[in-house]
């Protein structure tokens, strides 16, 4: 029986392996690090004495690939979601607070209800956002959203930064449109926000690893791929750095899926185009002396007019995310903590005598730069080698670099691999 070698055990590679195991294929999953998950990982922090995620990842009702992955591995109950979609915001400059509440059904009558929309906005401002549907490859989000009034700062900017890790001034309008179409365009259920109950590792990664192993798949850690040998038509060998060569034999009829970062991909195969420019994300995790309630009992809070952008509540941990954080990421951790705590304490109206314990996590290469010039550099899953396929949120998924995009890419690569195996 032929083997599919999946290189990279991030969410793209892991979802690919899950799909292949479900199809009863022999799989070896290679990972350069000591654990699976890639940029989706959890760890115990000694300072906080809590298990935290490296970053805050939101799953939406409009993420069918993620939900399909969780159903397959039997981990659907690892997500906790909203009963009704509601997104509270606070403007730190004015103190104004509001909640965006889409309605059920595809007809967005909520934009006519002042209590459901952004203060100062009118229905015409939301309808002006449909200009995203006509975006060309070179358009930025700001260019297409110029007629949306107060929504530009109070809705589109927070949304764009959150999903594209780029400001509206530089983000690709073409990448923002599918997010709007698949969430606000589908109604309230598609907009519901879900968080992992225990963390990315326990609820997304570890159940996937167990599923692969139970299905006969092998996971080999600390194995870095040094080279891909090929004859111009197909892969002939894989050269790994690691402990021994368990599973390294690449037999005729085998297939490889490369689910690594774009930087690693171009090192191995320089002829493959890839978006190499990146953008950082900064996260701060504060351990409070007690859980602090969020508006409306929400687990998330959007912040306007400060350094913080989104606050996530997890018991006594308040986590802050700052995307498109190029300048902030260059500052010392202590300075970042002070800046973000000022925003958190004001947003939550929580003022202890001293700043609580904090952990700052900087992801310097959190995503590729999701700007217009990057779109032509996203390669498809297929390569010129008939038995090699690509996966990763940076490939041409049609979506931004999100968990949904990563999982979708893994499923797509698995489908190509299965077709390739069928032709042997």
């Amino acid at each position: 029986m032929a083997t599919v070698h999946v290189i990279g055990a991030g969410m793209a590679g892991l979802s690919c392996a899950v799909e292949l195991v479900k199809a009863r294929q022999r799989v070896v999953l290679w990972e350069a690090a000591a654990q699976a998950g890639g940029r989706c990982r959890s760890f115990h922090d000694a300072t906080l004495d809590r298990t935290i995620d490296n970053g805050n990842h939101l799953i939406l009702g409009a993420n069918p690939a993620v939900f399909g992955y969780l159903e397959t591995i039997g981990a659907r109950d690892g997500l906790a979601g909203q009963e009704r979609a509601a997104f509270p915001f606070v403007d730190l400059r004015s103190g104004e607070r509001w909640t965006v509440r889409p309605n059920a059904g595809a007809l967005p009558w909520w934009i006519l209800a002042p209590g459901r929309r952004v203060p100062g906005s009118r229905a015409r401002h939301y309808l002006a956002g449909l200009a995203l549907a006509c975006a060309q490859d070179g358009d930025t989000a700001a260019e297409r959203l110029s007629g949306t009034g107060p929504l530009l700062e109070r809705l589109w900017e927070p949304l764009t930064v959150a999903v594209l890790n780029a400001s509206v001034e530089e983000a690709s309008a073409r990448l923002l449109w599918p997010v709007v179409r698949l969430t606000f365009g589908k109604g309230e259920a598609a907009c519901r926000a879900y968080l992992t109950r225990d963390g990315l590792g326990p609820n997304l990664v570890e159940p996937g690893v167990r599923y692969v192993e139970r299905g006969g798949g092998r996971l080999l850690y600390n194995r870095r791929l040094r080279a891909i040998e090929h004859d111009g038509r197909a892969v002939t060998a894989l050269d790994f750095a690691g402990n021994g060569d368990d599973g390294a034999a690449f037999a005729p009829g085998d297939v490889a899926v490369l689910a690594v970062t774009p930087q690693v991909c171009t090192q191995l195969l320089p002829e493959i185009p890839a978006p190499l420019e990146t953008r950082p994300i900064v996260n701060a995790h504060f351990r409070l002396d007690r859980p602090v309630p969020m508006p409306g009992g929400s687990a998330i809070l959007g912040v306007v007019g400060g350094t913080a952008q989104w606050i996530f509540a997890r018991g006594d941990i308040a986590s802050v995310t700052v995307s498109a954080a190029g300048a902030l990421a260059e500052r010392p951790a202590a300075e970042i903590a002070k800046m973000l705590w000022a925003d958190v304490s004001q947003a939550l109206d929580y003022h202890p005598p001293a700043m609580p314990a904090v952990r700052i996590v900087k992801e310097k290469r959190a995503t590729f730069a999701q700007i217009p010039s990057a779109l032509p550099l996203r390669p498809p899953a297929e390569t010129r080698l008939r038995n090699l396929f690509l996966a990763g949120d940076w490939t041409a998924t049609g979506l931004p670099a999100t968990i949904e995009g990563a999982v979708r890419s893994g499923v797509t690569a698995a489908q190509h691999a299965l077709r390739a195996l069928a032709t042997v």
Side-chain angles (χ1 to χ4, degrees):
M1 184 179 186
T3 298
V4 182
H5 300 261
V6 181
I7 300 98
M11 287 308 302
L14 186 57
S15 61
C16 180
V18 163
E19 197 73 8
L20 292 166
V21 167
K22 184 172 70 172
R24 302 182 183 277
Q25 293 299 319
R26 179 183 294 164
V27 178
V28 178
L29 183 54
W30 304 82
E31 172 54 46
Q35 71 285 320
R39 286 165 292 156
C40 288
R41 61 186 185 276
S42 305
F43 62 95
H44 184 270
D45 182 76
T47 300
L48 304 179
D49 192 24
R50 292 289 185 273
T51 296
I52 59 175
D53 295 332
N54 65 310
N56 296 302
H57 292 266
L58 201 64
I59 309 299
L60 296 173
N63 291 163
V66 174
F67 284 101
Y69 164 81
L70 291 172
E71 291 289 349
T72 296
I73 64 177
R76 172 60 184 83
D77 60 356
L79 291 186
Q82 297 174 316
E83 293 184 4
R84 292 289 183 272
F87 298 92
F89 286 87
V90 58
D91 189 328
L92 296 182
R93 295 161 304 191
S94 65
E96 197 169 12
R97 294 177 182 266
W98 66 92
T99 300
V100 173
R101 294 187 295 128
N103 61 272
L107 185 64
W109 58 259
W110 66 275
I111 67 176
L112 302 174
R116 287 177 171 263
R117 66 191 189 204
V118 173
S121 65
R122 299 290 183 268
R124 68 177 185 275
H125 296 138
Y126 297 85
L127 297 176
L130 293 175
L132 289 169
C134 304
Q136 304 300 307
D137 285 349
D139 292 345
T140 66
E143 289 169 340
R144 285 291 168 175
L145 296 171
S146 59
T148 57
L151 297 185
L152 188 62
E153 180 186 27
R154 292 186 155 193
L155 180 62
W156 295 127
E157 175 73 17
L159 176 64
T160 302
V161 170
V163 299
L164 298 187
N165 193 21
S167 68
V168 291
E169 286 77 18
E170 70 165 1
S172 165
R174 287 289 297 271
L175 276 182
L176 183 59
W177 170 243
V179 177
V180 175
R181 176 175 59 83
L182 295 172
T183 53
F184 292 120
K186 298 293 184 180
E188 178 271 328
C191 297
R192 291 178 194 170
Y194 295 80
L195 294 172
T196 54
R197 295 184 184 276
D198 307 301
L200 297 170
N203 298 133
L204 280 184
V205 178
E206 293 165 19
V209 168
R210 289 194 293 270
Y211 180 88
V212 172
E213 292 179 329
R214 285 198 304 266
R218 299 178 63 194
L219 280 89
L220 301 175
Y221 299 107
N222 300 306
R223 303 298 206 283
R224 180 176 58 83
L225 183 61
R226 292 184 294 198
I228 298 175
E229 298 179 21
H230 61 86
D231 59 10
R233 298 182 304 277
V235 174
T236 57
L238 301 172
D239 178 13
F240 286 94
N243 303 320
D245 60 354
D246 338 38
F250 194 89
D254 284 0
V255 172
V257 174
L258 196 58
V260 297
T261 66
Q263 291 76 20
V264 171
C265 180
T266 55
Q267 289 170 8
L268 295 167
L269 298 168
E271 68 273 19
I272 292 182
L276 299 179
E277 187 177 349
T278 60
R279 294 289 183 272
I281 295 177
V282 171
N283 294 277
H285 305 275
F286 296 94
R287 180 176 172 181
L288 313 181
D289 60 7
R290 57 181 172 82
V292 175
M294 299 265 271
S298 175
I300 58 175
L301 175 63
V303 180
V304 175
T307 302
Q309 295 166 350
W310 292 91
I311 302 174
F312 296 76
R314 290 180 175 277
D316 61 358
I317 298 293
S319 297
V320 182
T321 292
V322 183
S323 301
L328 186 68
E330 300 304 317
R331 294 174 179 265
E335 186 177 335
I336 294 173
K338 185 176 181 180
M339 294 170 64
L340 294 180
W341 177 245
D343 289 351
V344 172
S345 61
Q346 181 181 348
L348 300 184
D349 192 21
Y350 173 69
H351 306 281
M355 183 176 73
V358 59
R359 173 65 184 265
I360 302 296
V361 180
K362 301 178 183 180
E363 288 287 341
K364 291 293 185 71
R365 292 182 173 182
T367 68
F368 73 92
Q370 297 172 86
I371 57 180
S373 61
L375 298 189
L377 300 175
R378 300 181 78 181
E382 294 177 285
T383 72
R384 66 184 179 89
L385 304 176
R386 64 175 181 267
N387 60 351
L388 175 67
F389 305 98
L390 304 179
D393 61 13
W394 56 276
T395 60
T397 64
L399 296 175
T402 58
I403 293 179
E404 174 71 8
V407 174
R408 179 185 288 194
S409 78
V411 172
T412 299
Q415 292 168 346
H416 282 294
L418 290 171
R419 284 193 288 269
L421 290 170
T423 62
V424 175

